[in-house]
Amino acid sequence: METFVTMEIKDNTFARQFETVVPEGMLAVEYSFQEKKIFLTKINTPDSYQNDDAINALLKNVLDLSSEKNYRVVPIHPKIVSFFKKNPKYKELLPPGIRI
């Protein structure tokens, strides 16, 4: 069961990351943007942070935002690739030719 279902996500365009605050600190997903594609490059968590439910909820929110803006998503970070494998409904956001 997910601990964080809804969370406030901030798109920090200066730092190029989506951010949310959890009791332990800040979670962030770094990105770069190119031609209607968003490359999800890194996940930043507080030291020794282990709450995968919160990270998954953040990723779901980021992918939902990407879908709303009609962006194609290119997962670079291994945890994000793993998330796509476990959640096939998001594979429609992948650009043509990218298979996970």
Side-chain angles (χ1 to χ4, degrees), residues 88-100:
K89 76 175 191 174
Y90 292 107
K91 288 187 179 183
E92 67 187 28
L93 296 175
L94 296 170
I98 303 264
R99 297 195 188 273
I100 294 181

Side-chain angles (χ1 to χ4, degrees), residues 10 16 23-24 26 33 37 39 41 52 56 62 68 71-72 76 98 100:
K10 177 184 175 193
R16 292 185 314 207
E24 296 84 351
M26 183 170 44
F33 189 74
K37 290 187 196 106
F39 294 77
T41 58
D52 285 340
N56 288 338
V62 167
E68 288 172 17
Y71 295 153
R72 293 295 184 180
I76 304 296
I98 303 264
I100 294 181

